[in-house]
Amino acid sequence: MGYLRIFNPHPVKTGDGAQAEDLLLEVHLRDPILQVEVGKFVSGTEMLHLAVLHSRKLCVYSVSGTLGNVEHGNQYQIKLMYEHNLQRTACNMTYGTFGDVKGRDLICIQSMDGMLMVFEQESYAFGRFLPGSLLPGPLAYSSRTDSFITVSSCRQVESYKYQVLAFATDADKRQETEQQKLGSGKRLVVDWTLNIGEQALDICIVSFNQSASSIFVLGERNFFCLKDNGQIRFMKKLDCSPSSFLPYCSVSEGTINTLIGNHNKMLHIYQDVTLKWATQLSHIPVAVRVGCLHDLKGVIVTLSDDGHLQCSYLGTDPSLFQAPKVESRELNYDELDKELKELQKLIKDVNKLQGVWPMTEKEDDLKVSALVSSNFDSVSQAPDIEVGTDLVPSVTVKVTLQNQVALQKAKLSVYVQPPLVLTCDQFTFEFMAPEMTKTVAFSVYLKGSYTPPELEGNAVVSYSRPTDRNPDGIPRVIQCKFRLPLKLICLPGQPSKTASHKLTIDTNKSPVSLLSLFPGFANQSEDDQVNVMGFRFLGGSRVTLLASKTSQRYRIQSEQFEDLWLITNELIIRLKEYFEKQGIKDFSCSFSGSVPLQEYFELIDHHFELRINGEKLEELLSERAVQFRAIQRRLLTRFKDKTPAPLQHLDTLLDGTYKQGWEETVDAAVSHLLKTCLSKSSKEQALTLGSQLDVPKDTSRLKKHITLLCDRLAKGGRLCLSTDAAAPPTMVMPGGCAPIPESDLEERSVEQESTELFTNHKHLIAETPMPEVPPLQGVAE
């Protein structure tokens, strides 16, 4: 429309709309305006002037102002200094110190037919046609190389030296007007070219230091950063169609920030090729600049195609109001400290009386205690269960709840490790009045032919305590642990002198009589200094425990590897309890042998083979399941109350027990540890585990992850994400493990799996929380 407007926005606060006094100058120039630039365009002065490019005219103006009595009384005028009438339709222009001139700027205009016209301020210098020009492209001037950079219709970036343009003579010496009209001249030689394969929207040349400059080209789908010689420094593929861009200085040395607007009304900020910020605009920015308005640096100025001008900022709200300086006064720290204590007391009283979270500093809402009977139940609560040839006993556990305040919806849940089971594991109390005591009892017994990983149980109570602000109650949880007697799953047995699997525990104290540690598991004829003791689990497995008479060692041995764990764990627990009662606090035990991973892996393979074979057998039996059920019922009738083991096994097959997924569950738990607290790099932490646990083809992946877990622990890994002093102690395993890398957990690869992984070192045995995984039937943890 030919309107030229100059704005000086000065809002009182952020978000203010346009004010009348923001518009300094508005003038109608009649002809459409293609481009405006500011530079030293008038001879005899180095003051800045305004160059306005029309389609057939170049005008240079001076802008001046007259101060009024008040701010809104200031007046601004625009005065035409000179103009050049163009014989060719203009497309765009650039300016600079062409030929390294001093104290003035020259202007170069590109016409629609590809001719460059150079003006030395008020005089026309020369005109040259770009070779092979079909459609004009963006144009920029590089002062460092004294070259013009453009993108031709051949979709390639081209560079032309100004000296080449200036010294190229015309074919014939014509008058200035005739030359400008006809444009006949000598063909130019390009300095360098780079094919980018797309049209360009804009070119910008930046140089923030004296050592190097960069040429930025905004394409239709990419933006490029080039060196002075045309080599690509970097490029970035854009997700959206761009509309404008602006490279500007970065706070990080050696990098350049770039603002890129697109047709999705978005503004992206890149640091080189890395996206650092993205923001939504209210319009499509066809032009973007960064300026300083009223001492506020980093203001982003955008212009839409319909004339909408917007000044924006990134991050927090800037302070546009500058408060006047006030006289400082001395601070009375005693009064401030007194006021702070009063406020803290007020906050504490409010939270105690009517806060959302009830205060329980002086009294507990609920106390939970558990008592395990020292004797077996006179009548076993196990429902006609036999493990091998042994009758299964049961023991009663009583859990007592003592509440000091009124509670709602209290629920008691009891957990024990399988194959231990409870006669009842859930108890519900809808309402408990203050000062009330509730006691529940249940029995625990063994249901299975394998040993549980531990004899510890857990009673968890979840309840709600009402408050003034929350009558429905605030949910809370409290728990209590209890230990079951070893004799519940184990009987005294005959010691064995030889065994296939042995484990030696070293201590720092003199050996203790095994009769003191395991009363009730020795013959009455034996003396107090018992150094050998036998254990027989329900089902027939035997374990022998030996205490050295001359050294501070204990040995656990058995014919089956999986039977070693429970007695070993009980020995360590009872040794600690024994020395704590003696007032000895520096007791420790250690293991100097190699970690028996190979034996453990053999058990895993055996379990997995039974599982796969069981699934195959179940598939074969599925078609005739009804007939097998009928046969089973007849056999059960014949055997009456005692069911032989083969029938129990058949019932297990028909019930689909083999469908439980131990291997994939443990693999997921171990993989979670390896990608969180035991990870070595951010690449491992970025891995995501699948939500679906599928049956693996074999156990190789699981064994590799277990080996890698032991290796990380041996090298000082912690099973805790916390790094403070209150974090659980590190589990230290025998060191020297060579990891078996996995493609998704390790960057390197190995050619074969190694079985000799651990060297013999002495390490302390520490109690460290392990991930929750189900026990392997027939194999202790």
Side-chain angles (χ1 to χ4, degrees), residues 200-381:
L201 302 179
D202 198 1
I203 296 177
C204 187
I205 300 174
V206 294
S207 179
F208 301 119
N209 54 59
Q210 299 299 325
S211 59
S213 63
S214 299
I215 303 171
F216 282 82
V217 180
L218 180 64
E220 296 173 321
R221 295 176 298 275
N222 306 272
F223 82 90
F224 305 84
C225 178
L226 312 180
K227 299 180 181 179
D228 290 333
N229 57 2
Q231 295 181 354
I232 295 181
R233 194 185 303 273
F234 62 81
M235 64 174 291
K236 173 68 176 178
K237 182 176 178 60
L238 303 177
D239 297 330
C240 303
S241 176
S243 59
S244 60
F245 87 136
L246 174 70
Y248 66 99
C249 183
S250 172
V251 295
S252 301
E253 185 176 358
T255 62
I256 298 177
N257 288 358
T258 307
L259 288 167
I260 299 182
N262 58 43
H263 286 83
N264 289 346
K265 300 182 180 180
M266 295 288 293
L267 188 66
H268 291 172
I269 295 90
Y270 291 89
Q271 186 177 71
D272 287 350
V273 297
T274 304
L275 180 63
K276 291 294 185 179
W277 197 285
T279 183
Q280 184 74 48
L281 298 177
S282 59
H283 58 270
I284 299 176
V286 296
V288 59
R289 293 293 183 269
V290 175
C292 179
L293 299 177
H294 296 280
D295 297 328
L296 182 61
K297 298 180 179 179
V299 177
I300 300 175
V301 183
T302 55
L303 180 67
S304 69
D305 56 355
D306 58 353
H308 181 81
L309 185 68
Q310 178 173 304
C311 299
S312 312
Y313 56 88
L314 301 178
T316 57
D317 291 348
S319 177
L320 300 177
F321 172 74
Q322 296 181 355
K325 294 183 179 180
V326 296
E327 296 182 0
S328 61
R329 57 186 179 88
E330 294 292 334
L331 297 178
N332 190 329
Y333 292 98
D334 293 334
E335 292 182 0
L336 292 177
D337 187 56
K338 181 180 178 180
E339 183 181 359
L340 178 62
K341 290 181 179 180
E342 292 178 354
L343 292 175
Q344 289 177 340
K345 183 178 182 300
L346 179 62
I347 294 173
K348 184 177 180 180
D349 294 340
V350 170
N351 286 339
K352 182 183 295 186
L353 296 177
Q354 55 183 354
V356 176
W357 298 103
M359 303 295 290
T360 58
E361 295 180 352
K362 298 182 179 179
E363 60 180 7
D364 294 329
D365 294 345
L366 178 66
K367 293 183 179 179
V368 181
S369 60
L371 177 64
V372 181
S373 176
S374 58
N375 299 318
F376 289 147
D377 298 336
S378 57
V379 178
S380 177
Q381 300 300 310

Side-chain angles (χ1 to χ4, degrees), residues 528-564:
D528 293 340
Q529 298 298 323
V530 176
N531 66 334
V532 61
M533 186 173 289
F535 302 88
R536 185 175 67 85
F537 292 113
L538 297 182
S541 301
R542 297 178 182 271
V543 179
T544 301
L545 175 61
L546 300 95
S548 176
K549 295 181 179 180
T550 57
S551 62
Q552 303 169 352
R553 295 182 176 181
Y554 301 86
R555 171 174 291 181
I556 307 96
Q557 58 187 30
S558 176
E559 290 296 329
Q560 299 185 43
F561 173 71
E562 61 267 24
D563 294 332
L564 297 176

